[in-house]
Amino acid sequence: MNDLPVKIILFANISSTLFMTGVIWFVQIVHYPLFASVSAGRFTDYERLHSERTSRVVIGPMIVELVTASILVWNAPDGIPAWQLGAGLTLVAAIWLSTFLLQVPAHSRLAKGFDDAVHRRLVLTNWFRTVAWSLRSLLSLAIVWNLIASA
């Protein structure tokens, strides 16, 4: 794998995956559970600010991850099994579907006021993204390991 653009794409892909894995674990273990601790009178402002600020942090890396995972599937670097790249892209697609079909609607409901059932559903369904990003990180590390081992 001597092609510099492919190396840059692979680096961007792995970096964005590892970054998002850290973010999602923080959100899952710390941030989402704390929603229940915000007073009812302040919750709608808190939810709005949470959504705005979180979007600023995650949109760029999520787009980088999606685009680079797609490019890598179609331009598989030497030494990386195609199944790993395909599995990685499948996980990215699943994360995006979960985000827009489960988490975004839950946040839209919470933007109208705290609802314990919606909050519980948000925390529960977010485990899917947490596991999926963790699996992507493991795949990314396996790719790096394969490249180092074959060098």
Side-chain angles (χ1 to χ4, degrees), residues 14-85:
I14 292 170
S15 297
S16 60
T17 294
L18 294 174
F19 175 81
M20 286 307 304
T21 301
V23 168
I24 202 69
W25 273 100
F26 176 81
V27 166
Q28 183 65 26
I29 301 300
V30 177
H31 197 61
Y32 279 173
L34 287 174
F35 277 25
S37 299
V38 178
S39 68
R42 301 213 27 154
F43 186 80
T44 55
D45 287 337
Y46 180 84
E47 170 64 28
R48 179 182 52 78
L49 290 170
H50 157 79
S51 294
E52 289 172 6
R53 292 177 182 184
T54 300
S55 294
R56 285 186 224 142
V57 170
V58 302
I59 287 175
M62 285 182 70
I63 290 171
V64 167
E65 183 182 38
L66 175 63
V67 169
T68 58
S70 300
I71 291 170
L72 289 168
V73 164
W74 303 114
N75 290 322
D78 294 336
I80 300 175
W83 74 265
Q84 287 180 336
L85 298 170

Side-chain angles (χ1 to χ4, degrees), residues 23-151:
V23 168
I24 202 69
W25 273 100
F26 176 81
V27 166
Q28 183 65 26
I29 301 300
V30 177
H31 197 61
Y32 279 173
L34 287 174
F35 277 25
S37 299
V38 178
S39 68
R42 301 213 27 154
F43 186 80
T44 55
D45 287 337
Y46 180 84
E47 170 64 28
R48 179 182 52 78
L49 290 170
H50 157 79
S51 294
E52 289 172 6
R53 292 177 182 184
T54 300
S55 294
R56 285 186 224 142
V57 170
V58 302
I59 287 175
M62 285 182 70
I63 290 171
V64 167
E65 183 182 38
L66 175 63
V67 169
T68 58
S70 300
I71 291 170
L72 289 168
V73 164
W74 303 114
N75 290 322
D78 294 336
I80 300 175
W83 74 265
Q84 287 180 336
L85 298 170
L89 182 58
T90 300
L91 286 167
V92 171
I95 289 164
W96 279 70
L97 284 171
S98 178
T99 299
F100 289 101
L101 296 177
L102 299 172
Q103 284 75 44
V104 168
H107 281 290
S108 294
R109 295 265 321 271
L110 290 171
K112 297 172 185 167
F114 185 80
D115 180 318
D116 190 54
V118 174
H119 175 248
R120 280 195 316 272
R121 189 167 46 250
L122 174 65
V123 172
L124 181 65
T125 62
N126 196 58
W127 274 112
F128 175 81
R129 294 191 305 173
T130 305
V131 169
W133 259 310
S134 297
L135 290 173
R136 276 206 37 84
S137 284
L138 291 174
L139 279 170
S140 295
L141 295 172
I143 287 169
V144 170
W145 179 261
N146 288 337
L147 291 175
I148 291 171
S150 67

